[in-house]
Amino acid sequence: MFRAAVLALCLGATSAFVAPRAAPASSALKATYENELGVLPPTGFFDPLGLSTDLSPEIFEQYRTAELKHGRVAQLAVIGYIVPEVYRWPGEIAHGLPFADIPHGVAAIDAIPAFGWVQMAFAIGAVDYYGFLGDFASGKKPVGGKSIEELQTNELQHGRLAMIAILELLRHDSQNFVNPGFDGMEPLITGLPFIY
């Protein structure tokens, strides 16, 4: 044990004899993103892992498009999670299976027929392929004297909040599905008592 510790110290000390690494040359083309849309106080430009350090503007734009698309999908998912708590569509999801018989949340995964999953996969693929949810231009009209930049920043912030919200709804519902009544509350959405 003592010999291993001495060997580790000796190997660690050899790094003192290595020439220092030259700093990378700075480039005028190196982009910074501290002034992009979605940067708000108190966090400012939030990149704790430094993922945007050596990022080209084209890649940053791809990441921004992905963030916008995921935010919009998360907003739709949150609404889709809340609406069945108060309203059920009339009709059938499949022959002989009314919408009213499909349980809420995570429990619906096993209740939806296979063809229903195929339809959802094709719908999601079509939306993703045609790029409707990843374009800032779709559905934008300046209202109330707000600038388009302010509206776009608001949309990014709402999408970020929705991504956190759907993850928490799924976590809570999954835990309640595995261990019913773990929190002593039967309804999924406990912050909206007027629904029940």
Side-chain angles (χ1 to χ4, degrees), residues 9-82:
L9 284 172
C10 290
L11 289 177
T14 59
S15 65
F17 300 104
V18 176
R21 189 177 296 161
S26 63
S27 169
L29 298 175
K30 193 172 187 178
T32 59
Y33 304 105
E34 287 81 15
N35 296 321
E36 288 292 323
L37 292 172
V39 177
L40 293 174
T43 57
F45 183 67
F46 186 72
D47 187 16
L49 299 177
L51 298 175
S52 67
T53 304
D54 295 323
L55 211 57
S56 70
E58 294 81 20
I59 299 296
F60 181 79
E61 189 61 33
Q62 287 178 348
Y63 287 172
R64 176 52 50 93
T65 301
E67 179 186 16
L68 178 65
K69 187 183 295 187
H70 289 125
R72 288 179 177 177
V73 168
Q75 290 176 51
L76 291 172
V78 168
I79 293 299
Y81 226 88
I82 294 172

Side-chain angles (χ1 to χ4, degrees), residues 99-110:
F99 282 107
D101 290 349
I102 301 292
H104 300 284
V106 177
I109 292 173
D110 292 333

Side-chain angles (χ1 to χ4, degrees), residues 92-95 97 99 102 111-128:
E92 298 179 336
I93 191 169
H95 182 67
L97 182 60
F99 282 107
I102 301 292
I112 296 175
F115 189 64
W117 287 110
V118 170
Q119 290 174 340
M120 285 187 265
F122 275 111
I124 292 168
V127 167
D128 194 40

